[in-house]
């Protein structure tokens, strides 16, 4: 090491700041968060020099700070524009705002994808809206599972579930897993795949939409996989989870945790709730209500007669303690009934609107 390197640098003399000292003053007055973000874009040597300049600074006269800020502002406002990567910035912001909530991150990412699609032509999901699931399944049946997952990830859950039901059994679990892992798709790749799929759909007589106010999810993720699994046939659900439990049990658990719950049924409309209650065994209903939220209880009591509600509450009061697993089994039985009714198109559990349940 040279003698020069060992010689301490003298403190800055009074007077206007120059060079790197201006940068140090700017970052010190902007605060640690802003400084940290700026440092990420600097080279190692620049960071070292700037850090040293900041460490040497003990006080900053107000006029000097104002002069540095004014100079920085003049430089910024004199430019005609700036090249920025807005999408990357938003992705980083989403991850920072919801670091512990995977579901919140996925939903925000899906909103970002929908916003990007809305900038140009209608989304792939919007173009396929109204196309028969049989036609889409026929087109996708020979595609790679990743392509199938990409397309289903852009459909509303009801349509995606109907397509999945019609695909070959060997594809079901693989496609669901890929949907749960699908985070984003490059716009260029999506446009290319979409053009091929739409061309094949139209060749089979499926009329793709040219414009629409609706769009599909625009992005996959565990929540979308759960939304789709809520709506598939029971045989498909059983097969998918059997395979996922063997190959990727953590993915299977994540999807199960986000699927339809007993409390979700409180979001049924009154007609749907009345239809459901007519099909539910009274014993299951009594047990299920043991741990139901006040909102769920009020929803159920409001959709049966006053006399029936009174008798039900009296019987629950004399029931005594019950095992939690019996309550959970009763609630699972009711969910099974709800899903059967949804498959029969007698109630609406989910679909293409903003008021979808799951």
């Amino acid at each position: 090491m040279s003698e020069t390197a060992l010689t301490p640098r003298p403190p800055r003399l009074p007077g206007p700041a120059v060079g790197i000292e201006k940068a140090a003053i700017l970052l010190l007055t902007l605060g640690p968060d802003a400084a940290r973000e700026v440092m990420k874009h600097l080279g190692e040597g620049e960071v070292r020099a700037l850090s040293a300049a900041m460490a040497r600074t003990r006080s900053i006269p107000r006029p000097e700070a104002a002069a540095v800020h004014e100079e920085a502002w003049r430089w910024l406002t004199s430019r005609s524009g700036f090249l920025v990567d807005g999408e990357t910035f938003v992705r980083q912001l989403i991850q920072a705002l919801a670091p512990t909530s995977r579901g919140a991150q996925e939903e925000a990412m899906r909103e970002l994808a929908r916003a990007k699609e809305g900038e140009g032509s209608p989304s792939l999901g919007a173009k396929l809206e109204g196309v028969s699931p049989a036609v889409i399944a026929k087109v996708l049946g020979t595609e790679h599972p990743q392509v199938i997952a990409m397309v289903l990830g852009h459909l509303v859950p009801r349509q995606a579930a109907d397509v999945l039901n019609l695909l070959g059994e060997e594809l079901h679990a693989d496609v669901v897993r890929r949907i749960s892992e699908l985070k984003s798709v490059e716009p260029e790749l999506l446009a290319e795949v979409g053009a091929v799929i739409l061309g094949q759909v139209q060749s089979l007589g499926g009329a793709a939409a040219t414009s629409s106010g609706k769009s599909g999810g625009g992005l996959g993720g565990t929540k979308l996989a759960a939304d789709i699994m809520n709506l598939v046939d029971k045989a498909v659900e059983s097969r998918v989870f059997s395979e996922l439990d063997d190959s990727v049990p953590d993915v299977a658990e994540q999807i199960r945790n986000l699927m339809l719950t007993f409390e979700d049924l409180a979001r049924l409309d009154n007609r749907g709730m009345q239809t459901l209650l007519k099909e539910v065994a009274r014993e299951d209903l009594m047990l299920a209500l043991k741990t139901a939220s006040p909102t769920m209880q009020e929803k159920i009591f409001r959709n049966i007669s006053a006399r029936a509600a009174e008798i039900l509450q009296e019987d629950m009061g004399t029931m005594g303690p019950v095992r939690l697993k019996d309550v959970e089994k009763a609630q699972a039985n009711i969910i099974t009934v709800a899903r059967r009714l949804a498959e029969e198109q007698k109630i609406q559990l989910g679909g293409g609107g903003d008021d979808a349940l799951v």
Side-chain angles (χ1 to χ4, degrees), residues 183-204:
K183 295 297 180 288
S184 64
V185 180
E186 290 297 325
E188 295 79 8
L189 175 60
L190 179 60
E192 182 179 346
V193 172
V196 173
I197 297 300
L198 289 169
Q200 294 182 44
V201 165
Q202 291 171 345
S203 71
L204 290 175

Side-chain angles (χ1 to χ4, degrees), residues 22-96:
K22 292 182 180 180
I25 290 173
L26 182 63
L27 294 188
L28 284 169
T29 51
L30 288 177
D33 291 338
R36 190 181 305 113
E37 292 302 314
V38 171
M39 293 284 199
K40 290 180 181 179
H41 302 280
L42 301 180
E44 183 179 347
E46 294 170 321
V47 170
R48 189 161 48 244
L50 187 53
S51 297
M54 293 169 67
R56 290 194 303 271
T57 304
R58 293 292 178 267
S59 65
I60 304 173
R62 183 180 296 275
E64 192 167 341
V68 169
H69 277 260
E70 183 179 354
E71 182 178 345
W73 176 248
R74 283 200 307 269
W75 180 82
L76 288 170
T77 55
S78 66
R79 302 186 64 176
S80 59
F82 302 90
L83 293 175
V84 297
D85 188 346
E87 181 183 352
T88 298
F89 180 85
V90 172
R91 291 182 184 278
Q92 293 173 345
L93 183 61
I94 290 170
Q95 292 169 356

Side-chain angles (χ1 to χ4, degrees), residues 255-296:
I255 294 175
R256 280 196 182 97
N257 290 340
L258 291 172
M259 287 179 66
L260 181 66
T261 68
F262 179 68
E263 289 294 327
D264 289 330
L265 297 176
R267 296 175 60 186
L268 282 169
D269 59 27
N270 289 333
R271 178 180 296 180
M273 179 60 75
Q274 291 163 16
T275 301
L276 172 63
L277 293 176
K278 290 177 182 177
E279 302 283 337
V280 170
R282 190 170 187 280
E283 182 179 354
D284 281 341
L285 184 58
M286 289 176 57
L287 286 170
L289 285 172
K290 271 289 190 178
T291 59
S293 67
T295 299
M296 187 61 173

